[in-house]
Structures are given as C-alpha cells and as structure tokens.
Amino acid sequence: SILQAIEVPPDDKGNEGVNLLLLRNPWGHGEWKGDWSDNSRLWDKRPDAVAAVGDKINVRDGDDGAFWISHDDFIQRYATVDFCRIKHGQLKARNQIHKVEAKAVTGDDGNDDDWLAGVGGAVGHENSHASTHKKKKKKKKGPEGPPTLTEDDFGATVLKSQNAWMVLFRDGEAGEEAGDGVEGDGVVGDGVVPDDWAKVAAKADGLISAGEVDCKTSAKLCDSGVALPYIKVYGFGLDEKDDIMAIERFKGDQAARALQEASDSLPDATLKLNAMTTDHAMSASAQEGRLLLILLSNKSEPPTMLKSLALAMEDQVAVGFYPNPDPQTMQRFQVPRLPMFVSMFASEAMPGDEDLPPGTPPGAMQIGIKPYDPLMFGRPTFESVFAFSFNMVAQLFPENADAMLSGEVGTRLRNAQGGAAGDEGGEGGGSAGAGKKKAGAPKALVEINAANWEEVCPPSSSTLCAIGFLSGGEESPTFEDELAVVKASAAAHTSDPYVFAWVDGSCLLGFGEAFDVQPMGLPTMVAYSPKKQRFAGFVGVFGIESVNDLLNGVLSGRVKTKPVYQAPVVDDVDCKAVAAERAAAGEGGGDVAVEEEEDMGDFMAEILAEEKAAKKALEEEMKREAEEKKAQEKADKEAAKAAAKEAEGGKKKKSKKKKKKKKKSEL
C-alpha cells in the first residue's frame, strides 16, 4: 500500500530535492533495503527530510513492513500501481498520491474523491478496512487460490506430472465456518484450512504446484485415521511419486516446511558461477547454441525459482547462479543492485560498429549483456523471467523459440494465460495456476484470416490487437525472422491488454489498406482498438525494440492514434495459392523479369559511370590544386631567399662606407 507521498525540497547545503513515498508490505514484514530505507545513512545527512516526514519517521523502528523509498527507485522497482476504489468518504491524501507518476482510471462519473491512497492502511482510513474484515465469518476462496483436486483428476494432475506438488487435505469446502475466527482457529485436527496455508501456497511457483483435496467429496484420496488437515508433498519427477515411501506428510500448520521439502526435491541444474568460471560458461553456451541467463544475488544458494527455470529451459537456456558478486563484477554486468537477472550472449563483430574496441577485426566474437527490465516484464517471477528469456532466445536463436513454447512449461503458461480469446486455465494441465490467468506467460499467436478475424479481434472488445503485417507467408525466406519479432513482442507484453496475431501483408492488400499499410512498407506492426476504431502505425526498422516502443507508446499515450476510415475486412483469399501462382509466373515468363533486370542494370551502369567520372574529375582538380600550392610555396620560398640575400648585401656596403670614414678621420 502507498501510505504517504512527500516532497523534500533542495536544502542550503547543495543537496538536491527528493520525492519520497511511504509504502507498506501487506505481509507485515520484508522491507526495501536501498536508499531512504530504515537504516539508510541518508536520514543522518538530511535532517530536513526527517522533519518533512514528521511522526512517520517511526516506521524506521524494526521490520514492520513499512518503509520509505524515493520516487525514482519506486518506478524502477514497481511496474504497475493499482488503485482500489472503496466508498468510505473523502480521500484526504488524494493530492499527495497524484504526484506519483501512475495512471489510474476513474469511474464513469469522473469523481475521484473516494479513491484511497492505499489498501488497508491508507491515510485517514486505517480502521475502515480492518473493521470490514472482522465482520466476515467466512474466508472466501478467491480466484488466486490453489485448485481443488478430485478423484477424477488427481492422478493425471499430480501423479503423472513432473512437477513437485504440495497438497492440502481438508475437511469440507475451503472457508467454511469453524470456531470463532475468520479463517478458523488454526488448531491442527479441526479440519479447516490453516491460517498460513494460502500465503505459503501462493509462493509455490515454477515447477512447484499447490492444490487442495476436499475429503468429504473425495474420501478415497485421504488417509484414514489421520487428523485433518494435513499436507502431503509429492517430490519432483515421476519416480518420486511412484515411491510411496518418498511421499512426505506434514501437519496442517507446517505449510512452510512442506514447501521447503518440495523445493529440496528439485534437482539443482544451475551453473555455479564466479569471476573465474563465467567466461567459460559463456563460451560453452555459445558453442551449444544456448542463451546464458544469470542471477546475481547476495544469497549463497540458488532460490527455488532459479532451479525451476534451469529445469524448464534446459535445452534452450543455460541458467547460472552468481552469489555475492564484487563491485567490479556488478559494474561489468551493468547491475546497480541485487538481486538481478542478466542474459549473456555472443555475437559477431560487424564493420562500422561504433561500440567495438579499436582494432577489433570483423567477425570476432563479442560478449553482449542484457539486464532484466522490470518496466517491461514486471516483478521477477518464474513466468516473467521465462518470458524475458524467451524474448532473448527469439532474437538470438529463433530456431529454439518454438521449442520453448511447445514444451511442457510453455504449453502450461499459454493455457494459464488463456490464449487470444482469454479462456481461463485450460484443461487440468497439472499446474498450480489451473483455472487462473498468470502474468508473464507468452501469449498465443494466430494467423488472421476471413474466418477468424472477428473472433481474434471482436468489434466490441476493449482488448487491443497487435497485428504483424509480414512481407510474405510461410514460404517467404524472411518469414521465420519476421515472425520471431512478433513472438518476442508477445512475450514482452504478457501483462498488457494485447492480443497478438500476424497476417500475410503481401496477400491481403485490402485489409492492410484499412491501416495505411502499403506493400513497400512491409514488414510492419499495427496496434488497433476495435472498440474505438482507432489505430497506430509503425515507422522504423522492423525489430523487437522498435515494435515494443510502438506498443508501449500506445499504452502510455505517447504514440498518437488515428481513426480507421474504412472497416477492416479480411478477404476470403487462399494466400498460399496466391504465393504459388506468383512463384509459377516468375518461373515461366522470365522475359519480363529479365527485361526489367536488364533495364535496372543499364540504369545502375549509368549511375556508376557518372560517379566514376565525377570521382576522376575531383581527383584531377585536387591534383591540380596541390601542384599549384606546391609551386606557390616554392615561389614564396625563393622570394624570401632573394630578399634575405639583398638585405645581407646592403649591410656589407654600409660596413665598407663606415670603414672608409674612419680611415679618413685618422689622416
């Protein structure tokens, strides 16, 4: 929650002004450790900042979840800001929060007086949220809770899955009244969901999944004679699930231990990196045709998420863990703080590259580094780091991109994302997120045709359509490279309201004209709002960075849109047949093509001849100027020499006259 925002002006000692935000972690612990945190030395250097925060300075006492952070660090660490609208009166701190550079959508009435500055602890509303919470007698299981498994799907979902699973066996529906507490009294054996289960289950990520079993409706799955609730851990891999002795059971209030057990079952396939081994790992990855993903951390052991990523992307990405890097290493990897993900890759030096060291020969292998961008991908999670890795693989190793999406994890993430139509979950799937939409998963990519156009991009939909107009179909020699750009853009915008699709722009010319797309401008990208009938076109070189700049600019309002003057209609054309006809025409009637080629050759010959003549004339003129300059310098030199000689002769004559005078006077 954002509790307060203040502006500290520059002081008389030359220190710059700073905007500070007071945040609170909803878990009640875990705080920011950087500038303006509890133990930051900046408080000692800026007594004016201490005075500005006033009584709120007491949040520096202990790990209570509340902390101060500068606005600059805030926008680097957080990708989005959500405003919760609860009608509990006027918002006293409204003007403070409006200073934060975040975009909030107001209600239809345009009145934002009842926007809260935070959730459960906003200024002026500290008690309203808590009192509302106390009135609840039931804990409602929201859409983000673990899925409930049944006798029908337990075997396929859990026992036949490679994932590690932690499953809570409970008595009755989650959230049923028990005791006098909101979520039950948490006593093991009372049958209800323990208080900390939901929090711990939410941490199950990557290749660790969480689920629940209702022992009233699925009694065959539950152990007889064992007090409910209890938790079972099914380790990673099929062998772990076949071995009944390997399945650990924990009491209902030991969710944290159960999660650790599930984490320990994951094989550690990460590379252990340091200053001596990193370059070797980079070289080995380049030879294997894999990306190298590195987590630089101040911890000594790789986290569960990293072990999950190493297993999930093993064939396409080498995953390394670099503990406690020194300042020189952080500078090399362009890392300002820890922890941080970076990708390393090898690329060939190209002539004219200004970033190359002097004397680097063309074709020499260069090391590239790309840090994880939280503004583009959001907070680092298993899904968002997977999307970041896919983005890099699609650019550097496009032949491996499809394999990442077609694998078990890629399929699961696409199902969790819901595809272009926004379906929830998919079927079973064996994932902790079954039935919910996860941010960070690569989005489905479809080819637009006459049959699916209104399905992919419904006229009344508020979703934005990102359409890649490619310069040809699957038969085109540039198809794979162009499609890889669209796929990478889809992976980079998994949390944004875009549906991604592609179309053969050289075939569906009428469809392209609706968006001002001309054949000479292919390939290109268009962002289209079907509900508002407006679009933004793409200008520039067709690449992942420039395409993302367009899509991000549309979302932020930086890129202006214009209306569609004619409704986009996809003609019912067989583009593959059209491409085949073009190819046949090109093979059979080569006279026209040869004639055009000859004309072009004559034209180019004339241009080259003119350039050659102009170059020769310029060289002759420069030669003549050089000769004239040389002759002038020689003449000047001779004139100076003659003048000097003449001056010397005058001095001698004068000396002789003086001598004659002297002799005459002596006589």
Side-chain angles (χ1 to χ4, degrees):
S1 301
I2 303 177
L3 304 184
Q4 189 175 1
I6 65 169
E7 182 176 1
V8 180
D11 63 10
D12 53 5
K13 297 180 181 179
N15 293 314
E16 296 180 353
V18 61
N19 295 324
L20 297 177
L21 297 174
L22 176 59
L23 305 186
R24 188 180 68 178
N25 189 332
W27 299 116
H29 59 84
E31 298 183 9
W32 163 249
K33 302 298 184 183
D35 290 346
W36 301 105
S37 61
D38 286 8
N39 298 316
S40 173
R41 295 181 180 179
L42 293 176
W43 294 108
D44 299 326
K45 296 179 179 179
R46 297 293 298 272
D48 56 328
V50 175
V53 301
D55 59 348
K56 294 295 182 180
I57 195 63
N58 59 7
V59 302
R60 296 175 61 191
D61 299 329
D63 184 10
D64 56 359
F67 57 91
W68 289 95
I69 185 172
S70 71
H71 175 258
D72 291 340
D73 284 331
F74 175 81
I75 61 177
Q76 288 292 328
R77 304 287 295 190
Y78 298 88
T80 58
V81 176
D82 294 327
F83 283 74
C84 180
R85 189 175 191 184
I86 305 175
K87 295 196 173 184
H88 281 294
Q90 299 290 320
L91 174 61
K92 296 179 180 179
R94 181 181 70 251
N95 293 332
Q96 295 175 341
I97 301 305
H98 283 178
K99 293 181 181 179
V100 180
E101 293 177 1
K103 184 177 181 181
V105 181
T106 61
D108 292 337
D109 57 2
N111 185 357
D112 64 351
D113 283 348
D114 50 355
W115 285 94
L116 295 183
V119 180
V123 179
H125 297 276
E126 291 83 359
N127 298 324
S128 60
H129 186 270
S131 62
T132 304
H133 181 69
K134 290 178 181 178
K135 292 178 182 178
K136 295 181 180 179
K137 287 292 183 180
K138 292 184 179 182
K139 175 191 175 184
K140 292 185 179 181
K141 181 181 174 183
E144 298 298 326
T148 297
L149 307 167
T150 66
E151 295 173 359
D152 295 331
D153 61 16
F154 187 86
T157 304
V158 177
L159 301 182
K160 299 299 181 183
S161 170
Q162 285 283 350
N163 280 16
W165 276 83
M166 49 184 294
V167 181
L168 174 73
F169 294 81
R170 50 177 166 74
D171 184 15
E173 290 291 335
E176 285 188 350
E177 292 187 33
D180 56 358
V182 176
E183 300 180 357
D185 54 19
V187 178
V188 177
D190 64 3
V192 300
V193 178
D195 292 343
D196 66 339
W197 165 252
K199 294 180 181 178
V200 176
K203 298 178 181 178
D205 198 3
L207 300 186
I208 300 179
S209 303
E212 298 178 3
V213 170
D214 180 1
C215 291
K216 284 186 177 180
T217 58
S218 301
K220 292 181 181 180
L221 298 176
C222 303
D223 297 338
S224 59
V226 179
L228 297 174
Y230 62 86
I231 302 170
K232 276 189 173 182
V233 174
Y234 301 81
F236 178 83
L238 298 179
D239 293 341
E240 292 293 318
K241 299 174 180 65
D242 290 338
D243 185 1
I244 191 68
M245 300 299 293
I247 300 175
E248 297 287 342
R249 184 169 61 202
F250 298 86
K251 294 181 180 180
D253 59 354
Q254 296 178 325
R257 286 185 57 191
L259 179 60
Q260 185 60 49
E261 178 71 20
S263 176
D264 292 342
S265 75
L266 295 180
D268 188 358
T270 61
L271 305 174
K272 305 305 181 286
L273 303 180
N274 54 44
M276 302 294 293
T277 61
T278 300
D279 289 339
H280 175 74
M282 177 66 258
S283 177
S285 300
Q287 293 177 2
E288 296 166 358
R290 294 195 298 169
L291 178 74
L292 177 59
L293 176 72
I294 302 176
L295 173 63
L296 295 99
S297 173
N298 50 11
K299 305 293 184 182
S300 58
E301 295 295 329
T304 301
M305 178 180 71
L306 194 69
K307 294 197 294 183
S308 293
L309 287 166
L311 294 171
M313 308 186 298
E314 189 172 10
D315 293 334
Q316 299 85 24
V317 181
V319 178
F321 179 68
Y322 199 126
N324 303 307
D326 56 30
Q328 291 78 11
T329 301
M330 293 181 64
Q331 183 177 6
R332 177 192 178 188
F333 285 101
Q334 307 167 26
V335 173
R337 61 182 67 86
L338 298 175
M340 179 65 75
F341 283 95
V342 299
S343 62
M344 290 186 69
F345 51 91
S347 61
E348 290 187 1
M350 300 299 292
D353 192 338
E354 297 179 355
D355 296 331
L356 294 178
T360 302
M365 298 305 293
Q366 297 294 306
I367 302 299
I369 297 175
K370 178 73 172 180
Y372 178 90
D373 186 358
L375 295 179
M376 178 178 291
F377 295 96
R379 182 177 62 87
T381 63
F382 176 84
E383 290 85 353
S384 62
V385 177
F386 185 94
F388 166 71
S389 303
F390 171 80
N391 186 5
M392 298 301 300
V393 169
Q395 297 179 64
L396 301 168
F397 311 101
E399 66 277 7
N400 295 338
D402 288 337
M404 286 189 72
L405 291 182
S406 61
E408 180 181 349
V409 174
T411 302
R412 173 167 66 87
L413 294 179
R414 286 205 310 273
N415 289 338
Q417 188 66 22
D423 298 329
E424 286 189 346
E427 299 177 7
S431 95
K436 67 180 181 179
K437 186 174 181 180
K438 286 191 176 183
K443 295 185 176 181
L445 191 64
V446 296
E447 179 184 5
I448 293 174
N449 54 47
N452 68 4
W453 164 238
E454 292 192 354
E455 201 175 299
V456 173
C457 205
S460 60
S461 174
S462 299
T463 302
L464 300 175
C465 302
I467 307 170
F469 285 81
L470 308 188
S471 56
E474 297 178 0
E475 301 80 9
S476 170
T478 60
F479 175 77
E480 293 295 337
D481 292 338
E482 294 174 6
L483 189 65
V485 173
V486 182
K487 286 182 178 180
S489 297
H493 293 273
T494 54
S495 300
D496 296 329
Y498 278 114
V499 170
F500 283 81
W502 68 274
V503 66
D504 182 351
S506 67
C507 173
L508 300 177
L509 300 177
F511 181 64
E513 287 179 359
F515 303 106
D516 291 344
V517 174
Q518 303 300 325
M520 294 298 293
L522 299 175
T524 187
M525 174 69 75
V526 166
Y528 171 55
S529 171
K531 187 173 184 180
K532 295 183 178 180
Q533 289 287 292
R534 299 184 68 87
F535 76 99
F538 173 81
V539 178
V541 178
F542 189 71
I544 178 62
E545 292 186 5
S546 49
V547 169
N548 282 340
D549 184 63
L550 165 74
L551 301 179
N552 291 331
V554 170
L555 291 177
S556 65
R558 174 173 51 83
V559 174
K560 302 302 180 183
T561 61
K562 53 186 176 180
V564 175
Y565 294 107
Q566 64 181 52
V569 177
V570 181
D571 295 328
D572 191 3
V573 179
D574 187 348
C575 290
K576 291 185 178 180
V578 171
E581 290 177 4
R582 289 176 181 169
E587 291 171 2
D591 293 343
V592 175
V594 170
E595 186 177 335
E596 290 180 353
E597 186 174 340
E598 290 176 351
D599 291 343
M600 180 59 69
D602 294 341
F603 180 62
M604 290 301 298
E606 291 177 5
I607 293 177
L608 292 174
E610 291 176 359
E611 289 181 349
K612 186 176 181 180
K615 183 179 180 182
K616 186 176 181 180
L618 180 61
E619 289 176 350
E620 291 178 352
E621 184 179 352
M622 292 176 65
K623 184 179 179 180
R624 186 174 61 254
E625 289 180 354
E627 290 175 351
E628 291 177 354
K629 183 178 180 181
K630 188 176 180 181
Q632 183 64 41
E633 289 177 350
K634 185 177 180 180
D636 292 344
K637 189 175 181 181
E638 290 178 352
K641 188 176 180 180
K645 189 174 181 180
E646 184 179 352
E648 185 66 24
K651 286 182 179 179
K652 287 181 178 180
K653 288 180 179 180
K654 193 174 182 181
S655 176
K656 286 180 179 180
K657 287 181 179 180
K658 285 184 177 180
K659 286 181 179 179
K660 286 180 179 181
K661 265 187 175 183
K662 187 175 182 183
K663 287 180 179 180
K664 191 175 182 180
S665 61
E666 288 177 353
L667 291 173

